[in-house]
Amino acid sequence: MGASRTEDAGQAVLDRIRDGLDRGELPADALTDETLFDLEMEHLFEDQWVFLAHESEIPDPGDYVVRSYLEEEFIVIRDESGTVRVLENACCHQGMEVCRTERGNASHLRCTYHGWTYDNTGDLVGVPFREQAYGDDLDRVGRQLSPAPRQASYNGLVFASLNPEVEPLEDYLGDYRFYLDFFTGRSPAGMEFVGPQRRVLDFNWKAVMINAFGDFYHSMVTHRSASEVGAVDTTNAYGGEENRIDPEIGYHINAGPGGTITREGYLFEGAPEAVKAGHRETLSDEQWALVDVAGTPGASGILPNVTINNSIGVPGPEESVPFTYARKLRPLGPRQTEVLTWNVVEADAPEDYKERTREAFVFLFGTSGLYTQDDTVNWQSITRVSGGGMAERRQLKYNMALEADPDPDVVGPGRAYPTVLTEANPRHFLAKYVESLEEATP
Amino acid sequence: MTDADGVYREVRSFLLREARLVDDREFEAWLDCMTEDVTYEIPIRTVRDRDVDEPFLEMGHVEDDRYRLEKRLERLRTDYAWSDNPPSRTRHFVSNIEIDAVHDDELDVISYLLLARAAGDDPGTDLLSGKREDVLRRVDGDLKLAERRLLLDQTAIPFSMDVFV
């Protein structure tokens, strides 16, 4: 049977991936194999929590954005009572999209095929010729836009899952919430997601995740041009004549479905006083203790489809501007991924600071960013040559500091490795990735 | 020939030369086409209802000023600008040039851009199209670009935007 052969072939690749875990190795064809990709989509993306939007993108009743999950689309909409709902973008009658725009405001959504109309809770409230056509029997065709089987939010991040049995989002994020708060839970007014930029690029989604989970080692080479011209503030990162990283500058920390690299000190010193006061008010004593010991979480990823980063840009002469940005990945195939990228800023920050963080972000990351340009070369190049028989035999190495133990004295959950010269976080990504696939495919 | 014809020819020459300088990678000469206070932006288009006046988001794919443009060029001069080595090949087709308004020392100029980009050994060509809303200013007798807004037709960008528009 074709279907089971495909499943078996995917399992065979997964077996080889599992075999390499303890050595910190990944067979290169894991980035391109079609059968593995099908397993990932079915058992990782469909079964787990997938990030779709941030509540700040739809502040008012009726505001909506349409976001793709895998092949399906969801409308993330705020109803008249202020509740955020995640509804399938398909009419319950004959399946036409009820939203053909990517964002807007609507009290009602009307299918332009036969005119079936829904309110912004998703309830079907209008059917032409209802009495004559269906009498009282509308159950035959449904009564609402299907809500996502599961929906939940954390720090305003809206997640959905196609798996009704999925564990609660808070449990899924688990220990990683402690670190995620440094990006999306650090202001009493909440955070604001600005954007997103949208790109479709030729790379495997895991190449991005592995890099985002934890690779500080590449910065001094991949990003040398951007740092050499002073586009980014590399204090507490790397620098000097050879642009070398200081191994002691931060930690690899992994917990739950996430990984982050900290950078020594408090990265937001350059923010306005009111913004910093909000951080002091919002983050816990234990979280501040992390800043003292290990620094501030920077480059980060959350399995399966979020990357988020705190950084410091230099958008103007002698001007260091701390900023945060987030990405949502949507795999379109093993070799192609849609990427949405937002600037993330404290909702109550002064307008000029919001603008400056946006400019710093756009300059460095996203569509035209100096950092992203060079990262994209890596992700595309690795994906490009990771197909075929040689790739099946070639192992990608994530085995730096394989034997090193975590530092037990660092506050915060998970494991903290007291150096950036390790590949502990990529190994954590691969372990969680395999674990997630195996839970679903015993 | 009227004065207006002369100005139009001057504007067209300016835009065509500027396009050629980018495609020929004469980036320093290209930057000389800009004023000191130039703004250079590609806002993000979204798929919106046709009654919505502004389909572009507050944030852009590019939001540069003179400082950041200079930094981009400075980066290209380093030995480590990997995304530009080997470089992609671009062709800027500039057409439908209209002078929309004439102010004291500035002209509002509209043009269409078809940007073709080839990279690596891919036989395909990435295409972006859009309308440019420029402000050209006369500085010491010469036209300079003071503002550029490229209003793309595409909502998603199919490559890393390592090129100028």
Side-chain angles (χ1 to χ4, degrees), chain A residues 200-258:
Chain A
V200 175
L201 297 168
D202 293 335
F203 48 61
N204 181 268
W205 66 276
K206 296 192 292 299
V208 182
M209 291 304 297
I210 289 168
N211 179 247
F213 252 66
D215 190 320
F216 207 79
Y217 187 46
H218 80 294
S219 305
M220 62 179 177
V221 176
T222 295
H223 300 304
R224 179 159 180 176
S225 64
S227 58
E228 199 165 281
V229 304
V232 66
D233 184 337
T234 55
T235 313
N236 300 352
Y238 46 91
E241 288 205 354
E242 292 298 311
N243 196 40
R244 293 169 71 84
I245 54 174
D246 172 358
E248 313 284 306
I249 209 68
Y251 282 65
H252 267 225
I253 301 179
N254 55 65

Side-chain angles (χ1 to χ4, degrees), chain A residues 16 26-30 32 385-396:
Chain A
R16 286 194 286 117
L26 177 71
D29 63 325
T32 59
V385 296
S386 288
M390 290 299 284
E392 218 177 294
R393 282 167 271 177
R394 189 171 69 245
Q395 299 291 325
L396 309 180

Side-chain angles (χ1 to χ4, degrees), chain A residues 100-105 192 194-202 221-226 228-231 314-318 341-343 351 355-356 358-364 366-370 372-374 376-378 380 384, chain B residues 41-42 44-50 52 55 57-65 67-86 117 119-122 126 152 154-163:
Chain A
R100 293 189 295 122
T101 54
E102 69 176 81
R103 62 171 64 212
N105 181 284
E192 195 171 278
V194 182
Q197 299 171 338
R198 187 189 298 270
R199 288 174 293 152
V200 175
L201 297 168
D202 293 335
V221 176
T222 295
H223 300 304
R224 179 159 180 176
S225 64
E228 199 165 281
V229 304
V314 184
E318 308 291 312
T341 314
W342 293 261
N343 183 48
E351 285 305 316
E355 192 175 317
R356 225 47 192 152
R358 198 184 75 226
E359 289 170 354
F361 152 70
V362 170
F363 183 38
L364 290 171
T367 313
S368 68
L370 298 188
T372 301
Q373 283 184 31
D374 289 321
T376 304
V377 170
N378 296 350
Q380 288 181 327
R384 184 175 139 91
Chain B
E41 297 172 349
I42 308 178
I44 299 166
R45 181 185 285 279
T46 54
V47 184
R48 301 299 299 271
D49 190 278
R50 69 180 181 188
V52 170
L57 298 182
E58 180 189 7
M59 190 167 81
H61 292 292
V62 177
E63 298 186 28
D64 278 347
D65 58 8
Y67 177 82
R68 294 193 287 277
L69 282 175
E70 283 178 359
K71 285 294 169 186
R72 287 181 190 273
L73 299 197
E74 192 181 330
R75 168 179 170 272
L76 294 180
R77 289 195 299 271
T78 72
D79 292 332
Y80 317 105
W82 314 121
S83 69
D84 191 59
N85 193 10
R117 175 185 179 273
D121 57 5
D122 186 337
D126 291 319
L152 284 176
Q154 291 76 16
T155 62
I157 308 295
F159 54 85
S160 197
M161 180 104 28
D162 50 5
V163 297

Side-chain angles (χ1 to χ4, degrees), chain B residues 89-130:
Chain B
R89 286 80 62 189
T90 60
R91 208 57 61 195
H92 289 68
F93 299 93
V94 178
S95 69
N96 301 58
I97 300 165
E98 292 181 80
I99 297 175
D100 195 40
V102 179
H103 309 286
D104 288 346
D105 58 349
E106 290 188 342
L107 303 165
D108 296 349
V109 177
I110 292 168
S111 61
Y112 287 4
L113 175 70
L114 181 66
L115 171 63
R117 175 185 179 273
D121 57 5
D122 186 337
T125 302
D126 291 319
L127 290 176
L128 289 176
S129 59

Side-chain angles (χ1 to χ4, degrees), chain A residues 247-297:
Chain A
E248 313 284 306
I249 209 68
Y251 282 65
H252 267 225
I253 301 179
N254 55 65
T260 187
I261 298 178
T262 59
R263 269 170 70 180
E264 195 173 274
Y266 174 48
L267 288 185
F268 294 92
E269 288 295 355
E273 287 306 321
V275 168
K276 293 192 280 190
H279 295 181
R280 283 193 293 275
E281 183 185 330
T282 312
L283 294 170
S284 70
D285 290 347
E286 206 184 0
Q287 285 166 320
W288 281 107
L290 176 79
V291 175
D292 290 340
V293 176
T296 311

